[in-house]
Amino acid sequence: MEAASDSQISSLVDILKEVDPAFEMDKTQQKHLKNYPVLQKFLDTHSYRSHYMFCLKRCTSAECPVCSISIDTRVPSDLLEKLHYLPLPVPDEGDRIDHYKPFSELWGSTPTGKFRPSLGRHLDDDEIDKIPFTASGENCRGFVNCEVCKKPRCFFSKKKLTGEQNEEVRKQNEDVEFTCGAQLFYTDQRLVYMEIRITCESHVSSHYFHKRQAYP
Ligand SMILES: [Zn+2]
Ligand SMILES: [Zn+2]
């Protein structure tokens, strides 16, 4: 993605000044937002913030001080009605308990960050998902990177992996979007285990450094 040019930034500032005449270019931090009541209210009522994304959606009200600016030159209002905030992952039920619900089922619902994989799990899930042996530097067999924070996370198995099994782990990592706190494999075919009581905020484990030292 390309950075905004100076002229793009200054035309945005012009629009922001039109919305909220108090707006100042050098006061654009979160703490300055209280100086701009119109913008603050706009963000409170037109945006959704989550760990993964920031969504902003125009409304169709002619009275809205922000969205009423050049309302007819952008998205038609009947199309706006059909646009929703992007949903966040929600676990499926029944036979598909190991999966997340399909996008089509969640589109249009209120997004919830409650089930984000990197948030860690409830106790019941922990029992199913925790490593059934003591994880250590010795049984760390390699690592995969989290799709969100990019930190390396060790995978563990009791026995050393064969070349074929290593290949299987590599393929699985290509197929799923691994994030901190989740397992790489579903319950019934677990070749290696990940630590689940971690989040993206957790430090890189000492097992990782042990592994790097042993096999530089
Ligand atoms: Zn609006
Ligand atoms: Zn992460």
Side-chain angles (χ1 to χ4, degrees):
M1 203 191 287
E2 256 179 81
S5 67
D6 286 349
S7 72
Q8 283 171 324
I9 293 173
S10 80
S11 57
L12 178 65
V13 171
D14 288 344
I15 296 171
L16 290 171
K17 274 185 193 289
E18 200 178 318
V19 170
D20 207 323
F23 186 79
E24 286 178 74
M25 180 59 192
D26 55 350
K27 294 200 174 72
T28 55
Q29 287 169 288
Q30 177 88 32
K31 64 177 179 196
H32 297 126
L33 204 57
K34 64 177 186 322
N35 304 337
Y36 313 133
V38 182
L39 280 176
Q40 183 161 34
K41 187 163 178 228
F42 173 72
L43 285 174
D44 286 348
T45 52
H46 293 65
S47 76
Y48 179 79
R49 263 159 282 195
S50 77
H51 187 71
Y52 298 128
M53 62 197 165
F54 175 74
C55 290
L56 201 58
K57 195 192 157 198
R58 291 175 61 159
C59 71
T60 49
S61 162
E63 275 85 59
C64 177
V66 180
C67 304
S68 57
I69 295 179
S70 62
I71 196 153
D72 292 319
T73 60
R74 301 281 169 85
V75 189
S77 56
D78 57 333
L79 185 57
L80 261 184
E81 307 272 350
K82 288 185 219 146
L83 286 175
H84 311 289
Y85 290 131
L86 277 176
L88 288 165
V90 174
D92 213 334
E93 290 140 24
D95 289 350
R96 289 186 38 90
I97 197 99
D98 281 343
H99 302 257
Y100 286 100
K101 287 189 174 173
F103 177 84
S104 56
E105 229 173 277
L106 296 172
W107 179 235
S109 63
T110 308
T112 168
K114 214 165 80 183
F115 303 109
R116 99 169 124 91
S118 48
L119 205 60
R121 305 291 189 83
H122 300 298
L123 207 66
D124 287 356
D125 291 345
D126 275 10
E127 285 311 308
I128 301 165
D129 273 347
K130 73 178 185 195
I131 308 174
F133 48 87
T134 309
S136 70
E138 273 77 35
N139 55 34
C140 164
R141 307 296 175 188
F143 57 89
V144 290
N145 292 86
C146 167
E147 295 280 336
V148 177
C149 68
K150 310 292 177 201
K151 282 176 196 157
R153 300 300 187 193
C154 284
F155 55 79
F156 303 88
S157 76
K158 235 174 172 172
K159 285 190 187 153
K160 198 166 179 282
L161 298 180
T162 64
E164 210 173 292
Q165 287 171 325
N166 262 314
E167 180 58 18
E168 223 176 297
V169 173
R170 194 192 59 77
K171 273 209 197 111
Q172 178 74 358
N173 187 36
E174 268 179 15
D175 289 349
V176 300
E177 298 211 329
F178 169 74
T179 52
C180 298
Q183 283 294 353
L184 197 57
F185 287 90
Y186 304 124
T187 328
D188 49 342
Q189 35 171 304
R190 205 159 275 164
L191 199 55
V192 294
Y193 287 84
M194 310 298 302
E195 279 179 303
I196 52 163
R197 283 165 208 237
I198 57 164
T199 69
C200 285
E201 280 73 46
S202 308
H203 292 297
V204 173
S205 130
S206 60
H207 301 325
Y208 167 74
F209 298 106
H210 181 279
K211 171 88 183 162
R212 287 299 294 259
Q213 244 169 8
Y215 310 94

